[in-house]
Amino acid sequence: MGQISARNLTLGYGSKKVLHNLNLTIEQGEFLSIIGPSGVGKSTLLMAINATTSILDGEFQVLGQDLTSLKNHEIKALRAKIGVIFQGFNLVARMSVLNNIASGMLAKKNLIAALFKYYNHRQYEQVYEYMRVVGIEAEALSRCDHLSGGQKQRVAIARAIAQKPEIILADEPISSLDPVSARRVMETLKHANEKYGITVVSNLHQLNYAKEYCNRVIGINQGRIVYDGPAQELSPSIVDRIYHADRPKKEEAIDLVPSFTGQGLQMPA
Amino acid sequence: MTETSMRLDEIRRRTNPFNPSSISISLAALVLVLWCWHSTSMSIPALMEGWGNMYRYIAGNPEIRDSGFFPPTIAGPTVMKYLISMLETVQMAVLALILSVLIGFPLSLLASRNTLNIIIPGEQKYSRLLKNFLYTTVRFFANLCRSINEIIWALLFVSAVGLGPMPGILALAVHTSGVLIKLFSEGIETVEQGPIDALNATGAGSIKVISYAVLPQITPFFVSMTLYRFESDVRSATILGFTGAGGIGVYLFDKLRSYENHDVTTILIIIVITVAIIDRLSAIIRDRYS
């Protein structure tokens, strides 16, 4: 029984099924990415781990909790142990880097202290440590709307780490970043994964980064897992199977082009 | 997401500023203006002919000695009396504003869909009903406070607590609460959802999520609206005295009725200068919070 385990799991929204019959086990400390064409349910799977997507059928356990029967306060407790990183960073633009990172610790913080944004010595030390882990301490007091995209995403990672999570979910963390910033963000995630033993599950469109940083890749197409194995074994034919298992509709095919021509797919020689 | 091709002539047709629907909307607006103008007997000739009367009113009623507006009274003790009274008016507005923020801000969180969803999560039937109930009730309360004019509230409170600044303060507070609930909640509903999602995902409680993800986003808007309402409260407070609810309005009403128009001018000058000073200070404070 791993940290995350799914058996015959069907996920969706309302009555709409998005992913069917998933069987999956993720162990603590893995650095894993989910790949596949747009709109096949990568985010759905990711957000299910956070108890945001509806479970329509099957069994799903995360951190020892059965997600099919969670009450409101149990969901909050579970989410406190899971950090989330978003494609659009989701930072508060007008708030400082310090406050944004500290907002990750809110669940455990005293209410009055939270209202006044008061931090004790230990909390300052912790936030400072996380700033150094992601390399943003020089901008500690800057407002987040003054940062570059890559810096914002590193603040978001620090905010996730500040939660002291057991799992970090990263929903297309580098999709809106240039290649240099993207590499820095992936390295920061890897660092958090190694330093704190946090399991990282992310959605990626950039296969070269998946190969370089992840030790496991899950390929999804047509609402099913079509590949689950080591990143190194992603051969061109497997990639072809993930992205072309059944040729997607015309507009999605157009959507996919950038990830094959740009910084995306680079086949090994 | 079906993508159908669009012909150039269709693009041109849809972006033509002189299409039939724009023209009919403009015509409808014109008809509305003419209708209102006619119904309310607006007349430019009447204003043209009437200018002279306004001049004679300002110059003073010949049958009443010393009833002109100019020159303003500049006698030290009188001016001092009005200045102190103006200060009382501003103090009334300060208290009224604080009360209305204390009432209006928490309620505005219940009058905004997004913060209601933070406070009462879930889409179950029961929580949806509760949310709709709170939303509708608070909005109705705000409409009620807002649509009854400060003067009417002042009359009601004078009948409850007697003459003096206190009924004026309460009247302003009630009316402004209604205004602030509307303004604040409209501001709150424009905040970005992303940070809220992010903090909900950390498992933090609703008040913490609001204070970290919602408030920082709308601080400039809150500050600007609150300062505007302060200025507006000061202006209203200068009139509330007409009902006996304290402030400089008591003198203003009294002097107007007794044709002591030199004093009226002095009072009006003091009001204008006070509002100008508040406007200046507001601008400085707003800059700090942009």
Side-chain angles (χ1 to χ4, degrees):
Chain A
M1 178 69 61
Q3 232 180 2
I4 300 168
S5 74
R7 289 189 56 186
N8 303 322
L9 178 66
T10 298
L11 297 169
Y13 301 94
S15 57
K16 186 176 168 247
K17 292 178 181 175
V18 179
L19 290 165
H20 310 267
N21 270 320
L22 302 179
N23 285 294
L24 183 67
T25 306
I26 299 172
E27 301 292 341
Q28 200 237 319
E30 284 196 68
F31 196 99
L32 176 150
S33 65
I34 304 169
I35 62 171
S38 298
V40 294
K42 300 192 298 292
S43 296
T44 307
L45 173 56
L46 202 69
M47 288 310 162
I49 298 171
N50 194 21
T52 314
T53 322
S54 316
I55 295 169
L56 303 180
D57 196 22
E59 292 167 30
F60 197 27
Q61 293 218 337
V62 175
L63 299 172
Q65 295 271 1
D66 181 1
L67 293 204
T68 48
S69 60
L70 278 187
K71 294 191 185 65
N72 238 331
H73 70 274
E74 291 170 324
I75 291 178
K76 277 208 151 76
L78 177 75
R79 285 179 183 168
K81 295 181 208 160
I82 301 175
V84 184
I85 290 160
F86 302 84
Q87 180 181 354
F89 322 126
N90 291 10
L91 301 172
V92 181
R94 296 191 67 263
M95 215 157 63
S96 66
V97 167
L98 173 88
N99 279 328
N100 266 295
I101 295 177
S103 70
M105 313 192 296
L106 271 182
K108 291 166 203 143
K109 204 165 157 60
N110 174 295
L111 180 63
I112 304 296
L115 283 180
F116 287 94
K117 299 195 170 64
Y118 170 83
Y119 308 109
N120 62 29
H121 184 64
R122 215 179 107 66
Q123 286 164 336
Y124 271 118
E125 276 185 343
Q126 283 176 338
V127 173
Y128 193 67
E129 178 194 322
Y130 306 140
M131 282 183 202
R132 292 183 47 150
V133 168
V134 304
I136 199 78
E137 71 273 22
E139 302 287 345
L141 299 179
S142 304
R143 261 166 59 162
C144 280
D145 47 6
H146 297 155
L147 302 181
S148 71
Q151 287 174 318
K152 284 180 187 167
Q153 197 57 295
R154 284 186 280 130
V155 172
I157 294 173
R159 175 174 67 186
I161 299 172
Q163 254 177 273
K164 298 201 176 148
E166 296 182 42
I167 302 169
I168 285 183
L169 307 174
D171 193 8
E172 302 194 11
I174 54 174
S175 294
S176 53
L177 301 179
D178 65 85
V180 176
S181 306
R183 182 163 294 281
R184 184 98 196 260
V185 163
M186 287 308 290
E187 270 161 15
T188 309
L189 275 174
K190 187 78 187 163
H191 184 49
N193 165 254
E194 285 166 355
K195 183 174 166 79
Y196 300 104
I198 302 170
T199 310
V200 177
V201 184
S202 81
N203 288 342
L204 288 180
H205 275 305
Q206 295 82 349
L207 297 187
N208 54 331
Y209 288 117
K211 274 188 177 168
E212 190 174 339
Y213 291 99
C214 302
N215 38 41
R216 180 175 165 196
V217 168
I218 290 176
I220 295 185
N221 197 350
Q222 298 287 295
R224 288 168 203 285
I225 294 179
V226 295
Y227 176 80
D228 182 356
Q232 282 70 25
E233 287 176 19
L234 267 185
S235 63
S237 68
I238 291 173
V239 169
D240 199 55
R241 202 169 77 216
I242 295 170
Y243 282 92
H244 297 270
D246 190 298
R247 196 158 282 280
K249 281 179 232 123
K250 192 176 151 206
E251 62 267 23
E252 278 175 345
I254 294 166
D255 227 3
L256 284 174
V257 173
S259 48
F260 282 87
T261 51
Q263 16 152 328
L265 189 63
Q266 282 158 20
M267 293 298 173
Chain B
M1 267 198 292
T2 48
E3 209 176 317
T4 49
S5 70
M6 197 180 266
R7 292 159 53 94
L8 179 59
D9 57 350
E10 185 175 355
I11 295 172
R12 282 179 60 171
R13 187 177 59 76
R14 288 219 219 160
T15 51
N16 179 7
F18 302 110
N19 60 24
S21 86
S22 306
I23 290 174
S24 37
I25 290 172
S26 312
L27 282 177
L30 187 66
V31 168
L32 178 71
V33 171
L34 291 176
W35 177 53
C36 296
W37 185 277
H38 182 75
S39 303
T40 55
S41 324
M42 281 287 282
S43 150
I44 289 172
L47 182 62
M48 289 307 189
E49 285 166 26
W51 274 120
N53 295 333
M54 195 198 267
Y55 172 77
R56 278 188 288 281
Y57 176 62
I58 290 173
N61 184 339
E63 291 168 23
I64 302 166
R65 206 165 57 85
D66 251 1
S67 64
F69 280 82
F70 287 96
T73 309
I74 46 165
T78 315
V79 173
M80 201 60 208
K81 186 174 74 180
Y82 295 149
L83 282 177
I84 289 170
S85 177
M86 187 70 226
L87 185 66
E88 183 188 84
T89 311
V90 174
Q91 289 169 327
M92 283 168 64
V94 169
L95 283 182
L97 186 77
I98 289 171
L99 277 174
S100 57
V101 170
L102 288 179
I103 299 169
F105 170 63
L107 288 179
S108 68
L109 298 174
L110 300 178
S112 317
R113 295 277 177 202
N114 51 351
T115 39
L116 258 182
N117 280 330
I118 302 174
I119 297 165
I120 307 165
E123 282 302 314
Q124 300 91 318
K125 196 173 165 216
Y126 177 72
S127 53
R128 269 219 313 274
L129 275 175
L130 182 60
K131 276 188 268 201
N132 282 335
F133 171 76
L134 285 171
Y135 183 84
T136 318
T137 314
V138 174
R139 292 248 157 178
F140 176 76
F141 172 75
N143 284 338
L144 184 76
C145 295
R146 196 168 69 236
S147 49
I148 297 174
N149 191 283
E150 295 102 319
I151 298 268
I152 311 293
W153 283 119
L155 283 169
L156 293 172
F157 281 114
V158 166
S159 69
V161 299
L163 299 173
M166 183 166 159
I169 294 167
L170 296 177
L172 284 174
V174 170
H175 180 80
T176 306
S177 299
V179 177
L180 287 184
I181 290 171
K182 180 185 164 69
L183 293 175
F184 283 177
S185 60
E186 277 168 9
I188 291 171
E189 284 185 340
T190 65
V191 304
E192 265 182 69
Q193 184 62 26
I196 298 174
D197 292 341
L199 290 197
N200 272 333
T202 69
S206 52
I207 298 176
K208 293 174 185 173
V209 173
I210 289 172
S211 82
Y212 268 75
V214 178
L215 295 191
Q217 294 196 55
I218 39 165
T219 315
F221 181 77
F222 270 21
V223 169
S224 145
M225 288 302 121
T226 307
L227 289 170
Y228 171 68
R229 281 314 300 185
F230 177 62
E231 186 201 300
S232 163
D233 276 358
V234 170
R235 285 188 276 113
S236 301
T238 61
I239 293 295
L240 284 184
F242 284 32
T243 66
I248 203 165
V250 175
Y251 289 116
L252 187 59
F253 192 43
D254 185 45
K255 299 300 167 191
L256 271 172
R257 267 192 316 185
S258 56
Y259 291 97
E260 294 174 68
N261 289 335
H262 301 292
D263 285 47
V264 170
T265 308
T266 308
I267 292 172
L268 291 180
I269 290 172
I270 290 175
I271 292 174
V272 170
I273 292 175
T274 309
V275 171
I277 292 172
I278 291 171
D279 179 53
R280 220 29 248 141
L281 289 176
S282 301
I284 294 169
I285 298 173
R286 253 199 313 274
D287 279 349
R288 273 198 53 134
Y289 282 95
S290 62

